[in-house]
Amino acid sequence: MKKQIVTSGASVISQKKNERLDAYLGSCVGITLVDRQANVGGLLHLLLAEATGMHVSFQPKSYASTGMPHFIKELIDAGASKERLEACVAGGALIGPLSDQDLSLDIGGRTAEVVQVYLDDQGIPITESETGGYSGRKMSLDLYHWNTTIEPTWQIERPSKSPFQTDVVFNIDEAIQRIKPIPQVALKVIRMIHRDDYTIKEVGSEIRQDQVISGRVLNLCNSTAMGLKTVVDSIDRALILIGEKRLLKLVVTASVKSLFPQSSQGYSLCKGGIFQHAIGTALIAQELAVFTKKAAPDIAYTAGLLHDIGKIPLDQVMAGNTPFFYRYMQENCGDFCEAEKLKFGIDHTEAGMRLGNLWTLPNNLINVIANHHFPETATEDQELVTIVHLADLLMSKFQSHHELEQIDTEKLSERLNRLGLNSDHLPILIDLIPKNIFQSTAMPI
Ligand SMILES: [Fe+2]
Ligand SMILES: [Fe+2]
C-alpha cells in the first residue's frame, strides 16, 4: 500500500483509494476525520493550540484554533457532510525526561484540549482518542477502509525481537578512523562563515574547486524546495540567484549529508533520520539566533548542523543496541548521554568533540558539539551553545520521529534566561520552527 507522510502544519484530504496517510506525533496532535458514506477523509497534523503572532509566515493549519475549521471546510468542499464526520485524536505527549515546567506548560495537552472542545462544539463524535502520555505515536489513516490506527512509535520502529547485545566491545578510535574525512571545501567554507569577511569571488572559486560538491550544490539549487524559477547551471549563476550567504550554507549542508548514515537503523528512526534531525536543528538554531540576537545566524546554522556529529562513529554500534536504550530511558527516565556512556564507554558529545578536533573545526563549533546537552558546562560561547541546545530540544519534542535522542528539560528556565527569555516565550519559539522543513525534499536555507 502506498504511504504518504503528513508533516506538522499540514493536512491531506482524499477520496477512497488504496493508500495510507501517516503522521508521526510527539508533542504535536493528529486528527483524522472521515465520512464513510461519502468516502472522503483526511488527516491534520497540528503543532500548537493557537498562533502566537510571532510566526514568520502564518500557516493556519499549524494551530488547532485555525486549523480545525479549515480542515472541516476542506472536507465539506470535497463532498463530506459535517453530520456524518467521525474523528480520532492522537498525540500531545510529554516527550523525553521531564521537568516540572514541562508538566505545567503541557503544550501538547493544550492543543489536544482545544481540538476536543472544538469537535464537541461542532457535534462531531470522537471514536478513538489517545492523547497525553510519555511516548511518541504514529497515527495512520487507511484511505480504503477508513480505519485509523494509533501506535507507540518505539514499538513500530524497534520490534522487541531485535537482537539484544549485552556486551559491547567498542573502540571509538577505530570507529572514528573508519569515517570518511570531511570534504576540504566544507572546512574552508565553515571558516569563511566564521570570518565573515569573504568576497563573492573567493566563495565562487572555493566551491568550484570541488566538482562533486559543486554538482550536489547545483542539484540542491534546482530542487523544488528551493523554489527558484530558473535553472541554475553554474556556481556563478547560483551566487547571483541565491546570494553568497545561502550558498555557503548549501555547500556545508551538501558536504555533511554524505557523512551521515542514510539508513533507518542506529540513531535514526526513519530513513536518514539523523541528517533530518541535523537540518531541523540547524534551521531552528538560525531562527533562534535571529529572534534572540545572541549569536550570528549563519554560525548558529552551522553549529546546529554539526551538533550531533558524534553519532556518526557510534551509529553502527547503536544499531545493535537500541532495545537497551528504550528500556533505559523508559525505566530510568535518565539522561541519554549517561545511557551511551554505560553501553559504549563514551557518549556522542565526547565522540563528536574528538571528531571535531580531528577535522580541525573552529573552536566554538567544537564547544557546541561537546556541551549541547548541558550548555552550562561550556566555558565559552554559552549563548551559542544554549541556542543549539534549545533548537535540539524543540526538534526532540516536536519532531520526535527522526531520531532516538531525548533531551532533558530540568534546567530549561535558567537556559531560557541566559538568552533573555522565559517560559512564556516557549510557544513563540515553537511557532518559530520553519513550517516546511520536514518535507523530505526540504532545503529551505
Ligand atoms: Fe545530542
Ligand atoms: Fe540532537
PDB file of all heavy atoms in Angstrom, residues 307-308 311 348 372-373 392 405 407, ligand 1:
ATOM      1  N   HIS A 307      25.986  19.604  15.449  1.00  0.00           N
ATOM      2  CA  HIS A 307      25.992  19.348  16.900  1.00  0.00           C
ATOM      3  C   HIS A 307      26.060  17.868  17.262  1.00  0.00           C
ATOM      4  O   HIS A 307      26.635  17.500  18.267  1.00  0.00           O
ATOM      5  CB  HIS A 307      24.775  20.004  17.581  1.00  0.00           C
ATOM      6  CG  HIS A 307      23.482  19.270  17.402  1.00  0.00           C
ATOM      7  ND1 HIS A 307      22.768  19.290  16.226  1.00  0.00           N
ATOM      8  CD2 HIS A 307      22.780  18.467  18.237  1.00  0.00           C
ATOM      9  CE1 HIS A 307      21.679  18.553  16.361  1.00  0.00           C
ATOM     10  NE2 HIS A 307      21.658  18.036  17.570  1.00  0.00           N
ATOM     11  N   ASP A 308      25.488  17.011  16.428  1.00  0.00           N
ATOM     12  CA  ASP A 308      25.439  15.581  16.759  1.00  0.00           C
ATOM     13  C   ASP A 308      26.394  14.740  15.909  1.00  0.00           C
ATOM     14  O   ASP A 308      26.156  13.535  15.742  1.00  0.00           O
ATOM     15  CB  ASP A 308      24.001  15.052  16.544  1.00  0.00           C
ATOM     16  CG  ASP A 308      23.135  15.191  17.793  1.00  0.00           C
ATOM     17  OD1 ASP A 308      23.683  15.318  18.897  1.00  0.00           O
ATOM     18  OD2 ASP A 308      21.901  15.155  17.649  1.00  0.00           O
ATOM     19  N   LYS A 311      27.470  11.160  16.698  1.00  0.00           N
ATOM     20  CA  LYS A 311      26.659   9.952  16.480  1.00  0.00           C
ATOM     21  C   LYS A 311      27.127   9.180  15.249  1.00  0.00           C
ATOM     22  O   LYS A 311      26.775   8.011  15.089  1.00  0.00           O
ATOM     23  CB  LYS A 311      25.197  10.338  16.318  1.00  0.00           C
ATOM     24  CG  LYS A 311      24.589  10.801  17.622  1.00  0.00           C
ATOM     25  CD  LYS A 311      23.166  11.240  17.439  1.00  0.00           C
ATOM     26  CE  LYS A 311      22.649  11.745  18.774  1.00  0.00           C
ATOM     27  NZ  LYS A 311      21.391  12.464  18.631  1.00  0.00           N
ATOM     28  N   HIS A 348      27.918  10.619  22.739  1.00  0.00           N
ATOM     29  CA  HIS A 348      28.115  11.221  21.406  1.00  0.00           C
ATOM     30  C   HIS A 348      28.678  12.628  21.495  1.00  0.00           C
ATOM     31  O   HIS A 348      29.236  13.128  20.516  1.00  0.00           O
ATOM     32  CB  HIS A 348      26.815  11.181  20.583  1.00  0.00           C
ATOM     33  CG  HIS A 348      25.751  12.122  21.060  1.00  0.00           C
ATOM     34  ND1 HIS A 348      24.905  11.829  22.098  1.00  0.00           N
ATOM     35  CD2 HIS A 348      25.399  13.374  20.645  1.00  0.00           C
ATOM     36  CE1 HIS A 348      24.074  12.836  22.295  1.00  0.00           C
ATOM     37  NE2 HIS A 348      24.348  13.787  21.428  1.00  0.00           N
ATOM     38  N   HIS A 372      26.358  20.543  24.004  1.00  0.00           N
ATOM     39  CA  HIS A 372      24.986  20.896  23.633  1.00  0.00           C
ATOM     40  C   HIS A 372      23.917  20.278  24.528  1.00  0.00           C
ATOM     41  O   HIS A 372      22.798  20.764  24.581  1.00  0.00           O
ATOM     42  CB  HIS A 372      24.707  20.596  22.149  1.00  0.00           C
ATOM     43  CG  HIS A 372      24.652  19.155  21.779  1.00  0.00           C
ATOM     44  ND1 HIS A 372      25.761  18.426  21.440  1.00  0.00           N
ATOM     45  CD2 HIS A 372      23.627  18.294  21.695  1.00  0.00           C
ATOM     46  CE1 HIS A 372      25.417  17.190  21.146  1.00  0.00           C
ATOM     47  NE2 HIS A 372      24.120  17.072  21.313  1.00  0.00           N
ATOM     48  N   HIS A 373      24.244  19.239  25.279  1.00  0.00           N
ATOM     49  CA  HIS A 373      23.238  18.680  26.202  1.00  0.00           C
ATOM     50  C   HIS A 373      23.206  19.432  27.522  1.00  0.00           C
ATOM     51  O   HIS A 373      22.159  19.489  28.163  1.00  0.00           O
ATOM     52  CB  HIS A 373      23.503  17.187  26.444  1.00  0.00           C
ATOM     53  CG  HIS A 373      22.946  16.345  25.348  1.00  0.00           C
ATOM     54  ND1 HIS A 373      21.863  15.523  25.504  1.00  0.00           N
ATOM     55  CD2 HIS A 373      23.314  16.227  24.053  1.00  0.00           C
ATOM     56  CE1 HIS A 373      21.583  14.926  24.363  1.00  0.00           C
ATOM     57  NE2 HIS A 373      22.464  15.347  23.458  1.00  0.00           N
ATOM     58  N   ASP A 392      17.685  21.853  19.539  1.00  0.00           N
ATOM     59  CA  ASP A 392      17.710  20.395  19.656  1.00  0.00           C
ATOM     60  C   ASP A 392      16.503  19.916  20.468  1.00  0.00           C
ATOM     61  O   ASP A 392      15.827  18.938  20.117  1.00  0.00           O
ATOM     62  CB  ASP A 392      19.021  20.032  20.392  1.00  0.00           C
ATOM     63  CG  ASP A 392      19.436  18.605  20.202  1.00  0.00           C
ATOM     64  OD1 ASP A 392      18.882  17.924  19.323  1.00  0.00           O
ATOM     65  OD2 ASP A 392      20.335  18.159  20.937  1.00  0.00           O
ATOM     66  N   GLU A 405      17.459  10.235  20.244  1.00  0.00           N
ATOM     67  CA  GLU A 405      17.894  11.060  21.371  1.00  0.00           C
ATOM     68  C   GLU A 405      16.735  11.782  22.069  1.00  0.00           C
ATOM     69  O   GLU A 405      15.794  12.218  21.425  1.00  0.00           O
ATOM     70  CB  GLU A 405      18.857  12.110  20.819  1.00  0.00           C
ATOM     71  CG  GLU A 405      19.431  13.034  21.820  1.00  0.00           C
ATOM     72  CD  GLU A 405      20.337  14.044  21.126  1.00  0.00           C
ATOM     73  OE1 GLU A 405      19.957  14.562  20.069  1.00  0.00           O
ATOM     74  OE2 GLU A 405      21.416  14.289  21.635  1.00  0.00           O
ATOM     75  N   ILE A 407      16.026  14.888  25.126  1.00  0.00           N
ATOM     76  CA  ILE A 407      16.733  15.986  25.792  1.00  0.00           C
ATOM     77  C   ILE A 407      16.080  16.286  27.135  1.00  0.00           C
ATOM     78  O   ILE A 407      14.859  16.373  27.248  1.00  0.00           O
ATOM     79  CB  ILE A 407      16.684  17.266  24.920  1.00  0.00           C
ATOM     80  CG1 ILE A 407      17.057  16.974  23.475  1.00  0.00           C
ATOM     81  CG2 ILE A 407      17.561  18.360  25.514  1.00  0.00           C
ATOM     82  CD1 ILE A 407      18.488  16.743  23.214  1.00  0.00           C
TER      83      ILE A 407
HETATM   84 FE    FE B   1      22.873  15.335  21.020  1.00  0.00          FE
END
